[in-house]
Structures are given as C-alpha cells and as structure tokens.
C-alpha cells in the first residue's frame, strides 16, 4: 500500500518560535500549473508588532563580537547546504526551472559565506580615524541602527531574500521580514534552517502575508529604526517615506536586485556612524585639550 | 558692555571690536553669478538682535526667483562645472577658502552683528572653521574614487540647501563645500534672520571666479525654503533645522526620488561620573550649554550628575555661571551674546515658565541685561524629572536641565530615553568605563572629557529623530554622491 505523505503546516517565525498568525487567516498562493502552494499564514498587524517586540529584545546581537556573528552566518550556510534539495523543490513548485532552482540555491548559500566574512571586516574597511586640527583623538565607527523591517523581493524568493537579510544581520541589526507574497515557501523553510543555526531567536523574524495591508503599519511603527525594501511600487515608496516621519525611521529602497549584488554597501546602509572625541595630552600642542 | 551687579569696579573694561565693516543698504539674490533683483521687488530687513537696529534689507525670494536659481544651477551642472575635472574644481574651492581667510575679521564682525553671537566665537570658531571646511573638501575633489572604494563616483546634480540661523556662515560652508567638491551645483537659502554672511560668501564666490550658476543664493523665509525643497529639478535636499520642519520636508518630497539629508534637533546628555575631573567637567558643561547662547543643535542641554558629587558639581557650576559676561556680542569679553530673534526669546521664556510650573528649581546669576535687544541670562534648572518638558524638548537657548543618577546602566538608560540622538558627553577618568558609556549612547557625536568640538575632518550628524546623513569628514561626502544600493 502506498504511504500517505505528511503534509506541512506553514507558520510564521517570531522570536525563535513558530506561531500561527494570531488572526487565524490564511491565503493560497498559486504555484506551478495553478496548484495552490498551501495554506500560508496571512500575518496581521498584531503579528508584525509581536515580531518587532521580539526583534527589539534580541538587539544584544549587535553587541556580540563580530567574529562570533561571522561564525553564526557561516553556520547558516552549513544548515542551508543540508536543505539544498528542499529549497530546490520549493523553487520548482513556485515556478522555477530545475536549472534555475539549482543556481538560486547555490547563490543563496554562497551569499552566506560572503557576508559571514564581512562581519568582522566592514568596520575595519570603512571606519576612520579623523585627523582633527586640535589635540584630540577622534574616530568614527559604524553602529547597527537596531530593528530593521524588511520588505523582501517579490520574485527572487530565496537568493533575493537572503541577499537582503544577510547584510542587515551581518551588521548587528535584528529584523522583521515580510516574505514574498506570491512565493513564500523558501522563506518559511529558511526560518527552520535559521532556528537550527545558532542564530539567537528574534534576530530574524519572518512573516508571510499581504504587503498592501501591512505597509502602513510598518511605516508608522515607532520602534522600527529602518525599512529596507525591494520591488516597491512608487505609491508604496511614497507611503513608506511619508509614514517614516513618525520616528524618522530610515527608508532604504534597493535599486539593485539583492540576489545579484554582493557588496559591503548594503551592510553600511543599515549602520549609523558614531564619531567619538577625546582629548590627548600633548606638551607640543597649543592650548589645553579640554 | 553690561556690568554685573555682583561685580565690583575692577570688572572687565569694555573691549568692543571696532574694525569697520562693509554692509550694503540692500542685497539682491545671487543667481547665475549676478546680483539679481527679486521678481516681486520685495525686500525684508535684517536687524541686529543686540540693539534691535536694522542692518540692511535683503531680497524676498519667490517661487519664480527660486526657479531662476535652479535653472542656473542646472545649466552650470550640465555645462562648465559638470565637465570640469576634479582637480580644477578643487582649485576653485581652495580659492574660496583663502578668500574667506583674508576677509575673516570682517565676516566675524558681520556674523556677530547679524546673529548676536559673541565676537570671540565668530572670530575663533565660526569663520576659521568655515574656511577650513572649504580647504578640507577642496582636496577631496580629485580623490573621490578613494572615498568609497569600488563605488563609481557619481554626483547627484542640483543640491537645494536650507540652513539655520545659529551658525549662518559655518552652515553655509558645511553645505556648499562638500557639494562642490563632489561636483554638484547649489541653490542655498540662508535663514531669514541671518542672511548677511551668506551674501558676503556670494561676494567671495564671485571673486573666486567660479563659473556662473555653480552657487546661487536666494534669501527669504520659510516659503522660499519650501520652494527650494519642492522644486522638481532639485536632485538633493540638505536641511539643517528643527525636527518638526525636517519631517515636513521629508513628507513634502515623499513622492520624489530626491536624496535627502537632515540635521535636526537634539537634547544631548552631558554625563559627569564620580571620578571625573570636576573643574574641567564644569567648564565643559558651561561650554556645552551656554556656547552660542545655547542656540546649538548639539548643546549639552541635559546634565546628568552622579549623586555623590552632585553638591560639589552644582556649587562649582553656579560659581562659574556667576562669572559669565552677558552683553554686547561685539565686546571681546562677552561670553553669552544676544538671543537671535524676538520669536526665539519668547520660545525660551515659555520653556523657563514651563520649567517653573513643572516644579523644578531655577538658578540664574544676577546680571544686568542691556536695555535694548533680546537677552536671556544663563539658566539652570535642578530637581528636574525625566518626564519634565524641559528635559524632553529642545529649548535652543541657554537653559540647562540637571538630573542625577546612581549607576552607569541607569544613566545610559536615561540618556538614551529621548527621541533625539545627535550628541552626548561623558566626563570620567577611567578609560574602560568612559568607552563603555560612549559605546552605549545612541548619538552620532560623543565627546569624552570634552564638549562642542568640531572639525572639518570629523563627521557630524544624528541618530533617530536628530536626522540622517553626515556632514564633514570622509563620510560627509556620501551625502552628495550617489551611493544607492
């Protein structure tokens, strides 16, 4: 007799746990050949707010040694490699050809390696010691913005998703991600990989749902420091920029496809620059340092 | 000069700056390299806040004037300036720096007359620092490919810049110098109460021989600024001013692809720990809040003192405040000059009333204020609650709110508990503790055992609602280049 397959329930990923949406709603995105991909949680405003709380309580991620963050990002690559065939299957279900699916998974895993390496290098590469014209030691360093909301690329469901998330967490931010609405499967599986990769719960939170519905709530949330968004329509951009004035959260729109860009600049995009001054005693400098 | 009641006769003799300066009766806009009459033929006067006397009158910029200026800037961007090599651009900017240095004394005096700040500050800080910003940025013009490695160097186009009245000349330099070094052209709108030194800068720019239209200066009030910000052919908006106006600007250009940088308000914490060098700390507190009458976005307006040294710090602070000379800004002895405008004086007085209403204790040294002009004595409030209005809102005047704390985690929590994040100060003798605190403060500029220091090589700008983008240093160039990801 043929074995009955165990079907998977798709859930959200908040604070390292896998809750269903509090709203009880679901939607059924269409996959290859018009077949429904499953009953996907339609995350609500309340889910988003819960996820922000989780992300805020995980901001000690930014205080970890960059070396440690680097190892954890590398560990994510290890976890993804083991699930490569699952991701490929899902990409195919979502409409990719076998070759494209294979390539996207390889790109995604290699992105983890790329950004793992940046964790303890961008500071060294882009910080500065500033040669002020007075007896002071003056330096500028990067510091994570805090909690970043992410509108993930709609089409590039795995490589684009990771290409957006990795630079944000490599820089020590935590994030709340709204996955691709039409292609959510890889995001959900990614959360399972993240949950087993030494990444502390709450650093990455992943919601599925409807962008139109959540956009305003993301823009106006007072405890979100920045929004990084891909594939955004002009009206959505205007809405995010307008709502961002609530707490002057930084609105960052990706022009390039995050699946294709490998660069430290997306890391810097969610960093603040802090400049510190301190007097240096000097018997030759004129006047007192104070 | 105002004599303090408490001073005996051996007080400081008046030492007014008396070099002659040249202020025209009337100034037009500086557009496309020419002095251009306002299209509506309207002018408004600018006065000396220390005397109430009119200094000159300047053109009121209309939408049409702004449009003419933006067109000139666009033509220069598409023409001579856009095609020029970085090396040649840099040489023009070097010229500007040198011409400012040559006329520094004149500019310092006009800055003080128009804005009310002590001549000591405009002479020793504002003007030389402005010249240094041009000098520093000039050198970047032919080296930009080293600033952001592997990023193609791409200027933005026409920059619309709106600047405040607290550091009129310095802010013009902060805005114009990096914009030009990176190859952009500029339309600058100075503040309505302090337009004169920006117009003197236009003279310098004309003398330096910059191609027509590279820098255009249009004077006016809020509406003129809005016309600059909202002009469809402006690619970049740079604003320094209040958080309220900054938010309005972001909203008004929300449906455009204009790149914005905002340098907005602040409510900086200045923290004194028990092991701090107290005399220096008190000096730093005074400099932090009474520098430029407290009209400073990064002013140290919240003082946090560790409880066990509170009495000593407050005694010394009040002693020091008693010696501050308030009065004629042109007098070289003056520490605290005139409040920039009547409107700002009303705002400050409203906050002082609010402080008293909230139950805080006030201290102001006894001093005789001049009969005419806008004045506010140095003011300190003690017993201030974290929730008090004077501890939460930016006053932009010489008003300090003092709170106490017991532990380091407590003071970090209190210091960060504000929507602002521009600057902060920490006074502490122990390096490991000092850097623990500077690292934990959410602020773009943190001064350890010093305060209110500025330098062209040092990036300046805020976290959170204090705005975004940096000005100065290598990182400041990023505000005027396309670094989109």
């Amino acid at each position: 007799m043929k074995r009955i397959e165990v079907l998977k329930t798709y859930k959200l990923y908040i604070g390292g746990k896998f809750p269903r949406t509090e709203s009880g709603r679901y939607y059924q995105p269409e996959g290859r050949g018009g077949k429904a991909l499953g009953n996907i949680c339609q995350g609500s405003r309340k889910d988003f707010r819960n996820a922000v709380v989780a992300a805020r309580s995980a901001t000690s991620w930014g205080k970890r040694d960059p070396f440690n963050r680097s190892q954890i990002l590398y560990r994510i690559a290890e976890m993804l490699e083991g699930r490569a065939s699952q991701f490929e299957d899902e990409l195919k279900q979502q409409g990719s050809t076998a070759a494209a699916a294979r390539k996207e998974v390889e790109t995604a895993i290699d992105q983890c390696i790329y950004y793992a390496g940046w964790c303890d290098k961008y500071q060294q590469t882009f910080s500065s010691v500033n040669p002020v014209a007075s007896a002071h030691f003056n330096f500028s360093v990067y510091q994570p913005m805090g909690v970043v909301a992410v509108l993930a690329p709609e089409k590039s469901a795995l490589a684009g998703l990771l290409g957006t998330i990795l630079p944000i967490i490599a820089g020590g931010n935590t994030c709340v991600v709204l996955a691709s609405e039409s292609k959510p499967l890889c995001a959900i599986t990614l959360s399972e990989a993240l949950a087993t990769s030494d990444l502390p719960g709450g650093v990455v939170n992943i919601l599925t749902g409807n962008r139109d519905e959540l956009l305003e709530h993301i823009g106006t949330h007072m405890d979100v420091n920045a929004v990084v968004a891909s594939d955004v329509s002009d009206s959505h951009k205007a809405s995010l920029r307008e709502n961002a004035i609530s707490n002057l959260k930084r609105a960052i729109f990706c022009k390039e496809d995050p699946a294709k860009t490998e660069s430290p600049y997306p890391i810097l995009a969610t960093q603040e620059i802090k400049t510190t001054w301190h007097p240096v005693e000097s018997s030759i400098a004129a006047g007192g340092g104070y | 000069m105002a004599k303090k009641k408490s001073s005996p006769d051996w007080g400081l003799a008046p030492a007014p700056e008396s070099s002659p300066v040249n202020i025209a009766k009337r100034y037009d806009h500086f557009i496309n390299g020419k002095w251009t009459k306002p299209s509506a033929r309207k002018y408004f006067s600018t006065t000396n806040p220390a005397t109430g006397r009119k200094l000159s009158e300047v053109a009121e910029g209309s939408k049409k004037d702004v449009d003419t200026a933006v067109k000139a800037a666009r033509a220069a961007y598409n023409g001579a300036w856009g095609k020029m090599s970085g090396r040649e651009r840099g040489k023009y900017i070097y010229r500007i720096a040198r011409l400012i240095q040559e006329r520094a004394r004149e500019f310092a005096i006009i800055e003080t007359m128009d804005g009310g700040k002590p001549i000591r500050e405009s002479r020793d800080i504002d003007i030389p620092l402005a010249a240094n910003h041009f000098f520093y940025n000039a050198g970047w013009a032919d080296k930009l490919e080293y600033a952001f490695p592997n990023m193609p160097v791409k200027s933005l186009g026409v920059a619309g810049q709106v600047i405040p009245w607290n550091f009129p000349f310095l802010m013009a330099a902060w805005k114009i110098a990096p914009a030009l070094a990176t190859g952009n052209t500029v339309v600058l709108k100075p503040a309505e109460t302090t337009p004169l030194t920006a117009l003197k800068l236009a003279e310098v720019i004309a003398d330096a021989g910059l191609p027509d239209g590279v820098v255009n200066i249009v004077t006016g009030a809020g509406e003129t600024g809005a016309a600059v910000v909202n002009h469809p052919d402006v690619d970049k908006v740079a604003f320094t001013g209040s958080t309220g106006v900054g938010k309005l600007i972001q909203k008004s250009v929300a449906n455009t692809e204009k790149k914005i940088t905002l340098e907005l308000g602040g409510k900086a914490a200045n923290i004194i720990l028990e092991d701090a060098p107290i005399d220096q700390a008190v000096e730093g507190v005074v400099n932090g809040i009474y520098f430029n009458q407290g009209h400073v976005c990064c002013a140290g307006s919240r003082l946090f003192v560790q409880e066990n040294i509170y009495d000593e710090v407050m005694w010394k602070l009040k002693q020091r405040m008693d010696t501050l000379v308030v009065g004629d800004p042109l007098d070289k002895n003056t520490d605290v000059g005139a409040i920039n405008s009547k409107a700002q004086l009303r705002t400050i007085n409203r906050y002082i009333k609010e402080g008293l209403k909230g139950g805080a204790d006030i201290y102001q040294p006894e001093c005789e204020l001049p009969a005419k002009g806008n004045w506010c004595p140095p003011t300190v409030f003690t017993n201030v609650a974290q929730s008090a209005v004077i501890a939460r809102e930016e006053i932009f005047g010489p008003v300090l709110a003092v709170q106490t704390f017991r532990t380091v985690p407590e003071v970090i929590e209190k210091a960060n508990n504000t929507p602002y994040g521009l600057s902060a100060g920490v006074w502490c003798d122990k390096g490991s503790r000092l850097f623990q605190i500077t690292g934990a403060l959410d602020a773009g500029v943190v001064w350890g055992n010093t305060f209110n220091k500025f330098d062209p090589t040092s990036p300046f700008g805020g976290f959170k609602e204090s705005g975004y983008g940096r000005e100065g240093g290598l990182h400041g160039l990023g505000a005027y280049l396309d670094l989109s990801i």
Side-chain angles (χ1 to χ4, degrees):
Chain A
M1 205 174 121
K2 193 177 171 241
R3 182 180 170 274
I4 304 295
E5 192 190 349
V6 179
L7 294 176
K8 178 169 162 179
T9 305
Y10 294 105
K11 302 204 221 172
L12 308 177
Y13 181 50
I14 298 174
K17 296 190 172 66
F18 294 91
R20 287 203 178 94
T21 171
E22 61 79 37
S23 69
R25 302 174 305 171
Y26 66 96
Y27 71 107
Q28 297 179 314
E30 224 172 67
R32 170 173 291 244
K35 202 177 149 213
L37 289 175
N39 295 321
I40 308 297
C41 288
Q42 189 180 337
S44 64
R45 175 188 191 179
K46 174 76 174 152
D47 292 322
F48 175 71
R49 296 172 70 94
N50 290 342
V52 172
V53 171
R56 177 62 63 194
S57 62
T59 46
S60 62
W61 170 246
K63 302 206 165 58
R64 288 196 180 218
D65 298 329
F67 181 74
N68 180 249
R69 290 208 301 269
S70 180
Q71 291 186 85
I72 291 174
L73 261 64
Y74 185 81
R75 180 78 176 154
I76 295 175
E78 291 179 351
M79 292 299 104
L80 295 186
E81 195 75 64
R83 286 177 178 259
S85 59
Q86 186 184 353
F87 283 117
E88 279 176 49
D89 282 348
E90 287 168 350
L91 286 167
K92 282 187 274 183
Q93 278 185 61
Q94 290 175 164
S96 297
T97 64
R102 174 88 217 132
K103 185 152 184 289
E104 179 161 358
V105 173
E106 285 171 0
T107 305
I109 297 171
D110 287 356
Q111 277 177 324
C112 296
I113 306 300
Y114 179 76
Y115 284 108
W118 268 122
C119 291
D120 54 2
K121 293 170 189 68
Y122 69 88
Q123 189 74 270
Q124 217 168 19
T125 314
F126 295 96
S127 289
S128 63
V129 172
N130 310 311
V132 294
S134 57
H136 292 89
F137 178 50
N138 175 300
F139 57 97
S140 298
V141 295
Y142 288 88
Q143 190 172 311
M145 285 180 173
V147 174
V148 179
V150 175
L151 299 176
E154 190 56 35
K155 294 183 194 87
S156 180
L158 181 63
L161 176 67
L162 273 164
T164 312
I165 296 176
L166 289 166
I168 293 169
I169 62 173
N173 296 286
T174 63
C175 60
V176 178
V177 182
L178 181 61
S180 164
E181 188 174 345
S182 57
K183 300 179 173 182
L185 297 188
C186 297
I188 299 164
T189 303
L190 175 66
S191 62
E192 293 158 12
L194 296 177
T196 53
S197 66
D198 300 337
L199 189 74
V203 174
V204 175
N205 305 275
I206 300 180
L207 309 178
T208 47
N210 178 257
R211 196 186 265 201
D212 285 334
E213 175 195 337
L214 293 174
L215 193 81
E216 186 194 333
H217 306 309
I218 293 171
T220 52
H221 198 293
M222 291 298 282
D223 205 27
V224 169
N225 300 96
V227 183
V228 174
S230 282
D231 297 338
V232 199
S233 68
D234 287 348
S235 66
H236 278 187
K237 274 188 193 171
S239 153
L240 278 173
R241 289 195 190 106
E242 252 184 76
N243 288 326
I245 68 170
S246 52
N247 65 340
L248 281 187
K249 62 177 69 64
R250 282 61 168 138
I252 300 148
F253 301 108
C254 304
K255 274 193 191 159
E256 307 292 333
D257 180 355
K260 293 187 185 131
T261 42
E262 280 187 343
S263 151
Y265 290 101
I267 302 178
L268 304 186
T270 49
Q271 300 286 309
E272 295 288 352
I273 298 167
K274 176 185 280 182
T275 300
T276 307
W277 293 70
H278 198 279
V280 176
E281 283 187 6
S282 167
S283 50
I284 30 179
Y290 294 102
Chain B
M1 153 190 182
K3 292 235 169 51
K4 295 177 351 73
K5 272 185 201 159
S6 54
S7 301
D9 287 345
W10 60 75
L12 300 165
E17 172 61 60
S18 54
S19 311
V21 293
N22 174 17
I23 302 176
K25 280 203 167 123
R26 171 182 273 197
Y27 285 93
D28 294 321
H29 301 308
F30 183 70
I31 297 174
N32 206 22
K34 290 159 203 72
W35 295 100
T36 309
K37 291 203 182 315
S39 59
R41 294 286 186 269
K42 272 197 211 156
Y43 293 84
F44 63 96
S45 47
T46 181
T47 55
N48 182 339
T51 61
R53 250 181 260 144
K54 176 174 165 179
L55 292 169
S56 178
E57 56 181 30
V58 300
E60 193 178 314
S62 62
K63 262 192 179 169
K64 205 171 155 201
D65 298 333
V66 169
D67 185 56
T68 315
V70 172
K71 282 194 175 118
R74 174 61 60 193
Y77 183 72
N78 291 338
W81 194 249
K83 296 191 178 88
M84 199 180 290
S85 70
R87 177 70 50 87
E88 301 304 306
R89 261 195 342 257
K91 281 154 74 178
Y92 276 119
I93 305 168
Y94 276 125
R95 278 192 188 174
I96 298 174
R98 276 293 194 246
L99 287 166
I100 293 170
Q101 289 173 334
E102 286 166 17
R103 296 174 66 180
R105 178 61 56 90
E106 179 194 2
F107 289 4
I109 295 166
I110 296 176
E111 192 75 322
T112 283
M113 290 172 78
D114 204 19
K117 67 173 63 204
I119 184 72
R120 210 157 36 83
E121 291 176 14
S122 46
R123 184 194 64 195
D124 297 348
I125 297 167
D126 294 64
I127 308 299
L129 201 50
N132 295 359
H133 268 270
F134 280 104
F135 205 88
Y136 171 78
N137 279 286
W140 268 119
D142 58 356
K143 302 169 191 68
L144 294 170
E145 60 272 31
Y146 295 97
F148 301 97
N150 275 9
M151 184 67 98
V153 175
K154 237 169 90 190
S155 58
L156 298 171
V158 176
Q161 307 178 322
V162 178
I163 57 170
W165 44 258
N166 57 341
F167 294 92
F169 193 72
L170 183 58
M171 288 300 115
W174 279 31
K175 294 269 184 290
I176 295 174
L180 298 187
T182 47
N184 302 279
T185 57
V186 166
V187 176
L188 176 97
K189 204 286 284 179
E192 59 184 303
T193 60
T194 54
L196 291 184
T197 44
L199 295 162
K200 298 306 265 187
L201 181 60
E203 294 177 7
V204 162
I205 283 162
D207 290 349
L210 260 75
D212 292 347
V214 173
V215 177
N216 304 276
I217 295 176
V218 179
T219 47
E223 273 181 37
T224 315
V228 172
V229 165
N230 292 317
H231 193 288
D233 206 29
V234 162
D235 302 292
K236 155 82 190 182
V237 173
F239 171 75
T240 297
S242 72
T243 292
V245 175
K247 287 181 170 185
L248 285 179
I249 286 176
Q250 174 167 327
K251 196 170 178 182
S252 71
V253 300
N255 59 357
T256 72
E257 288 299 318
K258 289 177 188 176
K259 181 168 171 167
I260 322 179
T261 43
L262 302 172
E263 300 285 354
L264 309 177
K267 194 73 189 176
N270 203 352
I271 301 166
I272 309 183
L273 286 110
E274 57 189 351
D275 64 343
I278 290 181
D279 289 342
Q280 283 98 328
V282 166
E283 206 53 39
V285 169
V286 167
N287 176 40
I289 185 65
Y290 302 124
F291 174 61
N292 199 26
Q293 299 76 249
H295 301 327
V296 183
C297 47
C298 55
S301 50
R302 289 184 297 154
L303 175 62
F304 290 95
V305 186
Q306 201 152 18
E307 258 182 28
N308 47 342
I309 53 162
Y310 176 77
D311 290 340
E312 185 185 355
V313 167
M314 287 316 298
W315 185 80
K316 285 189 169 168
L317 176 60
K318 287 173 183 173
Q319 287 266 310
R320 180 67 181 90
M321 286 168 71
D322 288 344
T323 68
L324 292 175
V325 179
V326 186
D328 182 7
L330 278 173
D331 191 309
K332 292 165 199 161
N333 294 316
T334 294
D335 297 303
V336 179
I339 299 302
N340 184 267
S341 65
K342 284 210 160 38
Q344 187 56 27
L345 182 59
R346 274 196 298 276
T347 303
I348 296 168
N349 286 334
R350 180 164 55 75
Y351 275 112
I352 290 177
K353 266 189 209 136
E354 193 74 49
L356 291 169
K357 214 170 75 187
D361 299 326
I362 191 171
Y363 179 79
Q364 293 175 320
E366 269 185 46
C367 51
E368 199 179 294
L369 302 175
K372 276 188 184 161
N374 316 322
W375 307 95
C376 178
T379 304
V380 59
F381 278 105
T382 50
N383 284 325
V384 178
Q386 175 84 10
S387 58
V389 173
I390 53 168
R392 288 189 286 116
E393 295 181 14
E394 184 178 42
I395 298 173
F396 226 61
V399 182
L400 179 65
V402 186
Q403 295 171 258
T404 61
F405 68 95
R406 289 184 184 175
T407 66
V408 168
E410 179 194 349
V411 78
I412 290 172
E413 174 92 29
K414 282 179 165 172
N416 283 340
N417 189 359
T418 164
Y420 294 112
L422 188 51
S423 69
V426 184
W427 300 84
C428 172
D429 205 34
K430 191 175 178 188
S432 57
R433 190 178 300 145
L434 183 114
F435 285 111
Q436 179 203 357
I437 299 172
T438 59
L441 292 171
D442 294 332
V445 184
V446 185
W447 289 288
N449 290 322
T450 184
F451 209 94
N452 270 349
K453 291 283 184 282
F454 311 95
D455 192 273
T457 67
S458 176
F460 183 93
F463 286 21
K464 302 195 282 187
E465 294 190 32
S466 289
Y468 43 79
R470 292 293 176 269
E471 291 185 310
L474 180 157
H475 301 91
L477 299 168
Y480 292 96
L481 290 169
D482 182 2
L483 299 179
S484 56
I485 56 167

